[in-house]
Amino acid sequence: MGVPIPLGTSPPLLRITAGQLEALAARGSLAGFPRLELRDGVLCQMSPQYRPHLLAETAIYDALRDALRVLGSLLGVASEGSVRVGEREVPLPDVFVSGVQRGEGPVPAERVRLLVEVSDTTLEGDLGRKRLVYAAGGIPEYWVVDLAGQVVRQFWSPGTGTYADETMTPFGKLLASATLPGLRINTAALQAGD
């Protein structure tokens, strides 16, 4: 018999690894749980996406896809794909640029060249914990689309637990990648419409 949990307390969390998550997914055990992330070994259900977030995510996806085509790049753009950043971290970023190869399981972090999170209600976590996780995972460049602030916060040069360089670009201005030569997008589509 297990140890009883006192009233008013929560049971301890059961932490799993990225490998265990992949095994559960391969067996179909997570089929009824869409939009899951593994955060520090804990499975977390993601919030629903409403229109402001969805429109910004689509605008960034389209702008990056179009810019990569103009450059003739072999890199691709993905949305809502799982990225394995560490043994206990498998986030579900909004958009990312990578040299994805066919295979099973999440995209390895070392294949990701640029990662984007759209923040409407998640700004604190995207600028805090997620920024640290992505830097520690070696993601070369990270953008946070701050819908309330009407800016894109750009981070690059991952080092010991954080990014060494950062800048902000207001919506409506040209945004140039710090790590992908020639990659530029116009952020005008991120501005709130009527």
Side-chain angles (χ1 to χ4, degrees):
M1 185 166 170
V3 177
I5 298 170
L7 290 176
T9 62
S10 298
L13 295 174
L14 174 63
R15 296 190 187 277
I16 64 172
T17 65
Q20 290 167 326
L21 173 63
E22 290 174 39
L24 287 168
R27 284 196 300 263
S29 300
L30 303 174
F33 300 95
R35 297 180 40 79
L36 291 174
E37 282 190 334
L38 185 64
R39 298 181 197 157
D40 193 27
V42 177
L43 275 178
C44 300
Q45 179 110 23
M46 301 295 292
S47 298
Q49 288 188 14
Y50 295 129
R51 284 176 280 182
H53 186 285
L54 178 63
L55 293 172
E57 181 179 317
T58 302
I60 285 287
Y61 176 92
D62 290 345
L64 286 170
R65 183 197 60 216
D66 293 347
L68 289 168
R69 282 184 184 158
V70 167
L71 291 174
S73 176
L74 297 177
L75 295 173
V77 182
S79 178
E80 303 273 327
S82 297
V83 175
R84 185 175 180 164
V85 179
E87 190 52 35
R88 296 196 177 277
E89 300 289 345
V90 184
L92 189 69
D94 291 315
V95 178
F96 60 92
V97 174
S98 70
V100 178
Q101 295 176 330
R102 296 197 186 276
E104 300 296 321
V107 175
E110 58 270 11
R111 303 290 301 162
V112 176
R113 302 288 302 277
L114 167 67
L115 191 143
V116 184
E117 293 286 3
V118 175
S119 296
D120 46 2
T121 61
T122 59
L123 185 62
E124 184 178 331
D126 291 339
L127 293 176
R129 184 183 183 289
K130 279 197 174 177
R131 180 173 56 125
L132 299 177
V133 165
Y134 294 148
I139 303 296
E141 188 169 353
Y142 174 45
W143 296 355
V144 176
V145 178
D146 177 356
L147 295 178
Q150 298 281 293
V151 297
V152 178
R153 298 168 187 259
Q154 184 178 13
F155 304 93
W156 68 99
S157 303
T160 46
T162 191
Y163 287 95
D165 298 304
E166 63 183 85
T167 192
M168 288 191 304
T169 302
F171 288 4
K173 301 291 183 186
L174 191 66
L175 173 60
S177 169
T179 61
L180 296 170
L183 181 68
R184 289 175 177 75
I185 66 166
N186 189 331
T187 63
L190 295 171
Q191 292 177 305
D194 293 330

